[in-house]
């Protein structure tokens, strides 16, 4: 009899977005005349940049001709894209990353999930709280998380690093022994960023203990403060202890176009094995590369026109973030994030629970947010608002919220 | 200290295609004036169908507008594509498969590799010999294969099902207990197909033992014999014991476009768990869907024009297969495959080894093939030839081989 992976049985339901959808649907049925504004979901809304569109059309044309057709590409991605990334995203910022350390993929979610393949099941995993659920769920599937307790909303074998107002949403270095450390800056959901000094402390910590940092910088394009590093590889020593996940999803609006990349430095070894070699083996065995057309689109993000166009779109979203942040602060809420991030993290008023405040804003303002409790126990008492909507909608949502408060 | 997945250390090098490349490069350096013809690799060479190109252009245009832009799509794929697949690939052949049993992905290789996520490590896995290496390597990575012996070219815990001339390249039902059974028809590398009766025997076997068949039908479009099933789900009982992998790679030339799908029936349960639910959880947690533009291209494969165009390209490759098969048979080689498959499986003459015959054809005919031994011990004494080249090249390669023999 075939045995299933028993770890799957331990997973709680994907409660958060299902429950939001249920409540939103119920509201819509009771209030068919009310127009909802959605600041909940972390998905972009602006079209792909003209430079990307042109490059994709040209690539589609190539694929329709005998001369231009491309079959299987390199599993690791085409050199033209790996080189552009190495040059613009790393070398331009003083981070020495070579093209063969960059693995193009269909998404940071895939890579964050699949990276566990190359690590043993007996590693101790540390995650922030609140946290992007993919880090947690994929480790639970692999058997690293232990047992889930509904009562405390935590897994028995994970080390949780609370990110709270008290520590400025900057997790403290773990006191217990950990082997794999997931960090995400700019953070989802809190919108917090890490300074150079904070990142150096993490790298030093990981290096001294032989731990590996899994660094998710999917939101780096939203950093406006020039002192904040965009990559862990801007930090001395990171090449020996870190893997970085990046994506075109939020940088260039590729959520529906699917392109990302993971950087595994050649200096990173554990147990005498090169993690670059292991990840290469994983990808060449279980993955067959990203569509040629999509990789040409991603390459165009680095053209002069592409960079200018993408920057303009990021600026559009950054302005939304400012509007949300200033509007809610002006209404008396305690807010953080939104300055170097597309997410604003707002404390609920009067000690209200996340879901209660979510309901209040849904029912009385017709605005959909995300309850912070859905990202982990330390998210209780917060909501997340996303800057990825339209400018008018965002302004109206903020006005409606202010009116309710 | 972070521990790596120790199973990776047990993997032998990806010897086959690396070694072929090494020998081909050496030949090219010694013979710079000779034109090589490559019938080794299983990659398509004809451009995408005009209907696909049009659909992709239209989708790229949509992605460049506020109204048409699509962000995150459903992880399982868009309904428009799942419905077309259910209708044309299944219901039209009498197989009752519903759209929500179809999961769109970026490749059959990915799905064949990732499917192991939902199964326990303690399942006994059966594979054909010779075999597509991904089934073996991914199970080795997961810890199901045991130890590899270079001497016998096999893993200690896998159950190998020899496919030889004696059994007509049709594996016998295993005598020992197995839980997961990988089958691939039309087969890579032998080009063999399975009759309805043979598949029924497999389904009955799996059903009676509670095993699960992992059925790879990536090459079904090459079946010309109307009595041969294209899908395991044409077989009574398969909905309770099988998962099927399909791809647009060989069907519609999508190797560089990346689109495939996996069918997990709702009737398939093990240990009280629905495998459809488990796979859905895996995909929604570790995957974020296929590019919108690519899914629109795949949908166009099912349009009237798309079906006619794709059929024409398949016919082109089928003709190559006939030329290879007839030519080598006429030269006195024992050949199989190539009638319902893009692969011809040729016995080496005079008991010559796979690699020796590969070298002979490379050195004396300037033709690149694939040594059967690279697919497993039972592939020794065979070579694989692919029908995915150009028509003139294929004819010339066959003439060159005949001249050598």
């Amino acid at each position: 009899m075939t045995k299933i992976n028993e770890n799957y049985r331990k997973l709680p339901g994907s409660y958060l977005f299902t429950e939001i959808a249920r409540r939103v649907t119920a509201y819509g049925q009771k209030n068919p005349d009310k127009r909802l504004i959605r600041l909940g979901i972390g998905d972009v809304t602006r079209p792909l940049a003209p430079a990307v569109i042109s490059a994709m059309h040209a690539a589609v044309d190539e694929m329709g001709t005998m001369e231009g057709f491309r079959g299987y590409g390199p599993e690791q991605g085409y050199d033209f894209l790996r080189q552009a990334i190495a040059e613009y995203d790393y070398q331009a910022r003083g981070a020495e990353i070579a093209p063969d350390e960059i693995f193009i993929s269909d998404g940071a979610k895939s890579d964050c999930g699949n990276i566990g393949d190359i690590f043993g099941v007996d590693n101790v995993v540390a995650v922030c709280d609140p946290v992007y659920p993919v880090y947690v769920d994929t480790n639970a599937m692999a058997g690293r998380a232990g047992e889930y307790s509904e009562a405390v909303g935590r897994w028995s074998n994970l080390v949780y690093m609370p990110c709270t107002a008290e520590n400025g949403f900057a997790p403290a270095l773990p006191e217990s022994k950990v082997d794999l450390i997931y960090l995400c800056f700019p953070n989802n959901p809190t919108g917090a960023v890490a300074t150079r000094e904070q990142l150096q402390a993490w790298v030093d910590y990981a290096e001294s203990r032989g731990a590996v940092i899994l660094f998710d910088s999917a939101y780096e394009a939203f950093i406006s403060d020039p002192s904040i590093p965009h990559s862990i590889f801007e930090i001395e020593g990171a090449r020996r202890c870190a893997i970085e996940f990046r994506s075109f999803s939020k940088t260039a609006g590729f959520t529906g176009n699917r392109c990302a990349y993971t950087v595994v430095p050649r200096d990173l070894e554990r147990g005498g094995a090169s993690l670059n070699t292991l990840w290469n083996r994983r990808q060449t065995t279980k993955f067959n590369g990203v569509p040629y057309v999509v990789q040409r689109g991603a390459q165009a993000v680095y053209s002069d026109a592409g960079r200018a166009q993408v920057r303009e779109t990021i600026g559009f979203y950054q302005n939304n973030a400012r509007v949300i942040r200033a509007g809610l602060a002006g209404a008396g809420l305690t807010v953080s994030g939104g300055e170097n991030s597309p997410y604003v993290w707002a404390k609920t008023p009067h000690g209200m629970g996340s879901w209660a405040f979510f309901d209040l804003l849904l029912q009385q303002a017709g605005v959909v947010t995300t309850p912070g409790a859905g990202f982990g126990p330390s998210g209780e008492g917060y909501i997340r608002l996303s800057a990825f909507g339209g400018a008018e909608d965002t302004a109206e949502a903020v006005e409606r919220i202010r009116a309710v408060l």
Side-chain angles (χ1 to χ4, degrees), chain A residues 242-292:
Chain A
I243 289 172
E244 179 161 289
F245 306 103
R246 285 271 186 109
S247 174
F248 293 93
S249 283
K250 308 302 160 71
T251 307
F254 269 47
T255 53
N257 220 22
R258 314 304 316 139
C259 197
Y261 57 92
T262 287
V263 180
V264 191
R266 292 213 162 271
D267 302 352
L268 180 55
E269 298 192 351
R270 287 298 178 271
S274 154
L275 298 195
N276 180 290
T277 301
L278 294 187
W279 184 242
N280 188 60
R281 187 67 195 253
R282 194 271 166 206
Q283 290 298 82
T284 54
T285 304
K286 295 195 186 182
F287 184 61
N288 239 333
V290 168
Y292 173 68

Side-chain angles (χ1 to χ4, degrees), chain A residues 16 128-131 152-154 160-166 169 187-190 344-348 351-358 370-384:
Chain A
L16 178 61
C128 291
D129 169 24
V131 65
V152 293
R154 290 185 168 186
Y160 289 87
M161 306 182 290
C163 301
T164 62
E166 289 67 42
F169 305 102
N187 189 260
N188 176 17
T190 71
V344 174
W345 189 238
K347 192 161 166 50
T348 61
M352 200 181 272
S354 284
W355 282 103
F357 193 45
F358 168 90
T370 310
F375 297 99
S378 298
E380 179 55 272
Y382 290 88
I383 58 165
R384 189 190 76 174

Side-chain angles (χ1 to χ4, degrees), chain A residues 93-149:
Chain A
R93 295 194 62 85
E96 279 309 313
I97 293 294
D100 69 357
E101 298 176 317
I102 297 166
F103 296 83
I104 311 299
S105 81
D106 61 303
K109 182 179 172 187
S110 305
D111 289 349
C112 287
N114 294 330
I115 196 74
D117 280 20
I118 68 170
F119 295 111
V121 175
D122 52 344
N123 287 291
V124 176
V125 174
V127 294
C128 291
D129 169 24
V131 65
Y132 176 47
V134 168
Y135 313 147
V136 172
D137 290 358
T138 58
N139 277 294
M141 288 172 169
R144 290 189 199 96
E147 307 296 327
Y148 185 70
S149 160

